[in-house]
């Protein structure tokens, strides 16, 4: 039976990896399947709430849970539409209206759900209804917010999507193999099978894997260029002049390393150095997402979130660490990578009134002339 389980897990793991590469080959649009995964994760967690609290008979609650999911997705994906598809929004009159009043519409939709919840309250179910109201909102915070950050990372360049996901998967594999062959010392009571040997070995091999993967992907514009919408072709574009972190640089090695290896310098992509920090987070902090999920499942006496994938459990069982990683990558890009984006600034300028655009033009022209960047006019 054990070997049968290993066989099932192995075959389905290969199938999932193959599907992942197939989606990558289809380009950025196919990777919006993240939303499909998000919906499935939401359904798995909400179903646990229904089952644990025996809340199937609560009035309107199933409907309200999915209604709030739609509201939150409308808010987040509407923000993304306005940020990354400004040219498309400006061409369509209905989209202009929706973009301009997006936050008010989102708030009004949420208020409607809130009022529906209050109206659905019944005397014998007060406490249970508020339990489930909180359960729904915590699930939305964990699942929808994180999946939105995955999409944000994707638009910064597919490398920010592929490398983190691959690193988390590789850490899981390396930690399992090191623990299987060398594991002796238990790591944490929440996961009795986890060992210090697997944890440390997983860290070491994951850093190496991330370093090599970063080198391979940094060579291709398809992976490193931000994903942008081309209004002329009505399609996505991943062509650009690669930023400095994806251009090969020469680094001088410390004197101690020079005397040992007899090398004075090495040529690296700066992104490879960033990959070391990303791999370190995935190996040292990322597993705590899995530990959190294990604690959650133990609290409610369940083995897996669902049985969607035989031998692996539910979709949420495969993505418990990925969501934590997505948040880290988003914060990392915002703190250490992203600079002002001229395309977004231009999109915002195009939404202004003509007289406002002229005022900005004259101010910018005057400033550039004073700095000697353009010749003074007669």
């Amino acid at each position: 039976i054990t070997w049968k389980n290993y066989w099932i897990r192995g075959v389905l793991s290969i199938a999932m990896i193959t599907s992942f590469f197939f989606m990558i080959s289809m380009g950025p649009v196919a990777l919006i399947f993240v939303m499909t995964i998000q919906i499935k994760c939401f359904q798995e967690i909400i179903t646990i709430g229904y089952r644990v609290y025996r809340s199937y008979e609560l009035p309107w609650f199933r409907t309200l849970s999915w209604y709030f999911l739609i509201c939150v997705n409308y808010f987040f994906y509407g923000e993304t539409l306005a940020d990354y598809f400004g040219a498309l929004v400006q061409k369509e009159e209905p989209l202009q209206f929706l973009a301009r009043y997006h936050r008010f519409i989102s708030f009004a939709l949420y208020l409607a759900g809130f009022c529906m919840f209050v109206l659905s309250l019944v005397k014998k179910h007060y406490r249970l209804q508020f339990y489930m109201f909180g359960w729904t909102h915590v699930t939305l915070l964990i699942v929808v917010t994180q999946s939105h950050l995955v999409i944000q990372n994707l638009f910064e360049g597919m490398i920010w999507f592929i490398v983190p996901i691959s690193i988390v998967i590789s850490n899981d594999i390396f930690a399992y193999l090191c623990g299987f062959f060398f594991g002796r010392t238990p790591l944490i009571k929440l996961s009795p099978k986890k060992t210090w040997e697997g944890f440390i070995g997983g860290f070491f091999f994951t850093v190496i894997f991330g370093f090599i993967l970063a080198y391979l992907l940094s060579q291709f514009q398809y992976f490193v260029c931000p994903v942008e919408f081309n209004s002329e072709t009505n399609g996505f574009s991943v062509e650009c002049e690669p930023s400095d972190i994806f251009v090969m640089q020469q680094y001088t090695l410390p004197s101690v390393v020079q005397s040992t290896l007899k090398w004075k310098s090495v040529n690296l992509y700066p992104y490879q150095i960033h990959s070391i920090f990303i791999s370190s987070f995935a190996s040292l902090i990322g597993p705590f997402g899995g530990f959190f999920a294990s604690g959650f499942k133990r609290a409610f006496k369940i083995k897996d979130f669902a049985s969607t994938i035989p031998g692996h459990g539910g979709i949420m069982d495969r993505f418990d660490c990925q969501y934590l990683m997505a948040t880290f990558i988003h914060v990392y890009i915002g703190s250490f990578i992203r600079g002002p984006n001229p395309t977004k600034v231009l999109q915002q300028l195009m939404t202004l009134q003509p007289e406002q655009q002229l005022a900005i033009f004259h101010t910018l022209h005057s400033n550039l002339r004073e700095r000697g960047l353009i010749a003074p006019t007669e």
Side-chain angles (χ1 to χ4, degrees):
I1 298 174
T2 302
W3 283 108
K4 182 181 178 181
N5 289 339
Y6 281 131
W7 174 253
I8 293 172
R9 286 174 66 91
V11 170
L12 286 170
S13 296
I14 293 172
M16 287 188 287
I17 292 171
T18 304
S19 300
F20 178 61
F21 282 114
F22 175 71
M23 287 192 292
I24 291 172
S25 69
M26 292 180 67
V29 179
L31 296 177
I32 307 299
F33 283 121
V34 171
M35 188 172 180
T36 305
I37 294 171
Q38 169 225 106
I39 292 172
K40 182 57 181 172
C41 289
F42 179 82
Q43 183 264 334
E44 290 178 358
I45 299 177
I46 287 296
T47 299
I48 292 172
Y50 289 142
R51 188 167 63 245
V52 169
Y53 290 110
R54 297 180 177 84
S55 53
Y56 290 100
E57 302 303 321
L58 288 184
W60 287 100
F61 215 89
R62 276 183 176 279
T63 304
L64 283 172
S65 295
W66 290 100
Y67 176 80
F68 281 126
L69 177 67
I70 293 170
C71 290
V72 175
N73 272 310
Y74 176 80
F75 171 73
F76 280 124
Y77 285 92
E79 295 280 301
T80 301
L81 181 70
D83 282 346
Y84 293 98
F85 305 98
L88 175 65
V89 170
Q90 290 305 309
K91 287 164 58 175
E92 303 291 338
E93 189 69 33
L95 291 180
Q96 288 182 30
F97 174 82
L98 292 174
R100 183 172 183 179
Y101 299 106
H102 173 69
R103 295 198 174 187
F104 181 81
I105 295 171
S106 301
F107 182 63
L109 290 172
Y110 179 83
L111 276 183
F114 179 80
C115 293
M116 288 166 63
F117 167 73
V118 173
L119 292 172
S120 72
L121 290 172
V122 292
K123 190 172 183 179
K124 61 179 180 179
H125 291 309
Y126 284 158
R127 181 179 296 182
L128 185 55
Q129 285 180 287
F130 277 101
Y131 276 157
M132 293 306 297
F133 185 76
W135 185 285
T136 299
H137 281 67
V138 170
T139 305
L140 290 171
L141 177 66
I142 293 173
V143 175
V144 182
T145 306
Q146 311 307 316
S147 62
H148 173 69
L149 296 182
V150 172
I151 298 296
Q152 293 281 309
N153 298 341
L154 166 64
F155 279 107
E156 293 295 331
M158 289 180 66
I159 196 168
W160 295 106
F161 176 87
I162 297 169
V163 169
I165 285 182
S166 302
I167 284 176
V168 170
I169 294 171
S170 68
N171 179 250
D172 196 33
I173 294 171
F174 289 131
Y176 173 79
L177 293 175
C178 292
F180 182 82
F181 288 107
F182 309 108
R184 298 289 183 274
T185 314
L187 175 63
I188 187 170
K189 290 182 178 179
L190 281 172
S191 297
K193 294 182 181 179
K194 304 289 186 182
T195 63
W196 275 104
E197 290 81 4
F199 187 72
I200 295 170
F203 165 74
F204 177 74
F205 286 109
T206 300
V207 170
I208 295 175
F209 172 82
F211 193 79
I212 295 172
L213 183 63
Y215 170 77
L216 295 174
L217 297 187
S218 294
Q219 303 176 48
F220 301 97
Q221 283 192 17
Y222 181 78
F223 296 115
V224 305
C225 290
V227 179
E228 296 181 350
F229 183 79
N230 189 324
S231 57
E232 295 180 0
T233 61
N234 286 326
F236 289 101
S237 171
V238 285
E239 296 181 359
C240 68
E241 186 69 30
S243 64
D244 291 341
I245 66 169
F246 301 114
V247 176
M248 188 72 76
Q249 307 284 344
Q250 187 177 67
Y251 293 91
T252 303
L253 295 172
S255 55
V256 177
V257 179
Q258 287 185 30
S259 60
T260 305
L261 300 178
K262 308 303 181 182
W263 293 346
K264 291 186 178 181
S265 62
V266 292
N267 293 325
L268 298 172
Y269 291 103
Y271 183 76
Q272 290 179 266
I273 299 173
H274 290 293
S275 76
I276 296 174
F277 295 102
I278 295 171
S279 299
S280 298
F281 179 88
S283 305
L284 303 178
I285 307 299
F288 281 84
F291 300 152
F292 177 86
S294 296
F296 179 87
K297 288 183 284 189
R298 286 178 178 273
F300 296 103
K301 297 180 175 60
I302 56 176
K303 184 178 183 295
D304 296 310
F305 282 96
S307 56
T308 309
I309 311 172
H312 291 268
I315 299 294
M316 192 65 196
D317 291 288
R318 296 296 89 205
F319 281 83
D320 46 10
C321 298
Q322 295 288 2
Y323 282 136
L324 188 62
M325 190 69 182
T327 305
F328 170 74
I329 293 299
H330 187 76
V331 173
Y332 191 89
I333 292 173
S335 301
F336 304 109
I337 305 297
R338 185 191 294 124
N341 189 330
T343 302
K344 286 188 178 180
V345 174
L346 186 60
Q347 286 178 357
Q348 292 176 338
L349 287 174
M350 297 305 291
T351 63
L352 299 177
Q353 297 296 322
E355 58 272 14
Q356 295 173 314
Q357 294 175 353
L358 283 171
I360 292 173
F361 168 76
H362 290 306
T363 303
L364 183 61
H365 185 273
S366 176
N367 181 272
L368 292 173
R369 191 174 60 230
E370 290 173 3
R371 292 160 57 191
L373 297 176
I374 59 176
T377 53
E378 292 281 335

